Amino acid sequence: MFLVRFFIFLTILFAGCSDIYTKTYDKELAKKPIPCIDIKSENLIIEDIVKKNPFIKKIYKKECQYTLRITSNYVTFCTSAKAKALGSDFDGFVRFEIVKNSRLVYRNQRDFKGKFDEYIADSLIDKMRGDLRFEY
């Protein structure tokens, strides 16, 4: 019985660490097939990791009316005294936004511990693929 409870506890604990928060801002645009995406990011390391994903390689097109806008923040770069005093259960977050002609369609976001890697990128891309319609 102890092992069963321990296993359930671990499952809940680790499931909570990989939550992806999503929101659809334009439900009509979100229903339409997305033929391609351009990528905009201020963090070139994260952008390079995302561009290595096989699905992204297929739909990436420099000139496209849809843009995957990537925003990231590392808690260690926070200068707020309150943030430094409280600490954090995560080291940063990354946000993916699908924008069509400057109109926000969809957003997903995930906190992460350690460094951003392919696993985190793939989880956000897979969630985005499940929530939206892509032509591929």
Side-chain angles (χ1 to χ4, degrees), residues 77-117:
F77 295 130
C78 288
T79 57
S80 159
K82 185 177 180 182
K84 288 181 179 180
L86 294 175
S88 179
D89 289 341
F90 59 94
D91 293 329
F93 74 86
V94 65
R95 178 183 302 139
F96 285 7
E97 294 174 317
I98 296 291
V99 178
K100 182 181 182 187
N101 301 325
S102 301
R103 188 171 177 171
L104 182 59
V105 177
Y106 171 86
R107 174 185 290 160
N108 71 13
Q109 177 175 320
R110 179 176 179 176
D111 300 335
F112 61 90
K113 192 84 173 148
K115 67 177 190 165
F116 183 85
D117 59 16

Side-chain angles (χ1 to χ4, degrees), residues 30-100:
K31 292 178 186 175
K32 296 181 180 179
I34 299 171
C36 58
I37 58 168
D38 188 11
I39 297 176
K40 301 286 185 217
S41 176
E42 293 177 3
N43 187 318
L44 296 178
I45 295 170
I46 289 178
E47 182 177 336
D48 286 344
I49 290 170
V50 169
K51 284 181 176 178
K52 289 178 184 175
N53 178 279
F55 175 73
I56 296 297
K57 284 181 180 180
K58 289 180 188 176
I59 65 169
Y60 175 70
K61 185 178 175 186
K62 194 86 171 132
E63 299 297 322
C64 184
Q65 59 186 331
Y66 287 91
T67 301
L68 171 60
R69 191 167 53 197
I70 304 170
T71 308
S72 63
N73 187 28
Y74 287 86
V75 175
T76 56
F77 295 130
C78 288
T79 57
S80 159
K82 185 177 180 182
K84 288 181 179 180
L86 294 175
S88 179
D89 289 341
F90 59 94
D91 293 329
F93 74 86
V94 65
R95 178 183 302 139
F96 285 7
E97 294 174 317
I98 296 291
V99 178
K100 182 181 182 187

Side-chain angles (χ1 to χ4, degrees), residues 8-21 88-94 109-115 117 119-120 123-124:
I8 292 171
F9 170 76
L10 286 178
T11 303
I12 292 169
L13 177 69
F14 288 115
C17 295
S18 65
D19 287 339
I20 297 175
Y21 311 99
S88 179
D89 289 341
F90 59 94
D91 293 329
F93 74 86
V94 65
Q109 177 175 320
R110 179 176 179 176
D111 300 335
F112 61 90
K113 192 84 173 148
K115 67 177 190 165
D117 59 16
Y119 175 78
I120 297 165
S123 69
L124 288 163

